[in-house]
């Protein structure tokens, strides 16, 4: 039998998300910049490493905040970047990052 929702816990998560949201959006912005650089053939090793780290952090944070779809998206982006993304991967990555931004902007309970 499923337990009833814990409104206090939901409120606490919402308050914590209020603090974490800006950091998450900043991480998404790093991913967007990396994808743009990749598309233009200008993503260097340092930028790729930074984007990979930010995607990893997003995967963990979004899972913690009850956004499994966002966590899965971030994990997929992380894997693609870590495998050595090429300009040919840019369109697919851009779609993934756009979907990730939408999830982050919607917040907990959205996916």
């Amino acid at each position: 039998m499923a337990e009833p929702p814990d409104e206090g816990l939901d409120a606490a998560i919402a308050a914590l998300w209020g603090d974490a949201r800006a950091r998450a959006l900043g991480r998404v912005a790093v991913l967007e910049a990396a994808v743009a650089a990749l598309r233009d053939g200008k993503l260097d090793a340092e930028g790729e490493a930074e984007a990979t780290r930010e995607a990893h952090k997003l995967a963990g944070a979004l899972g913690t905040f009850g956004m499994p779809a966002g966590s899965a998206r971030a994990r997929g982006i992380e894997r693609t970047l870590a495998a050595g993304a090429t300009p040919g991967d840019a369109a697919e990555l851009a779609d993934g990052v756009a979907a990730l931004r939408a999830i982050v902007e919607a917040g907990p309970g959205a996916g």
Side-chain angles (χ1 to χ4, degrees), residues 15 19-20 26 31 45 52 73-74 109:
D19 293 336
L31 297 178
T52 302
R73 285 273 183 189

Side-chain angles (χ1 to χ4, degrees), residues 10-47:
D10 290 345
I13 290 171
L16 288 171
W17 177 246
D19 293 336
R21 183 177 188 271
R23 281 189 306 277
L25 288 170
R27 290 184 170 122
V28 171
V30 168
L31 297 178
E32 290 167 336
V35 170
L38 179 65
R39 181 190 60 232
D40 296 340
K42 296 181 180 179
L43 183 62
D44 60 17
E46 183 179 322

Side-chain angles (χ1 to χ4, degrees), residues 57-100:
K57 291 174 187 176
L58 277 168
L62 297 178
T64 299
F65 283 103
M67 293 182 266
S71 184
R73 285 273 183 189
R75 199 171 302 110
I77 293 164
E78 175 189 8
R79 279 195 292 264
T80 300
L81 290 168
T86 66
D89 297 315
E92 184 178 336
L93 280 169
D95 290 346
V97 173
L100 184 59

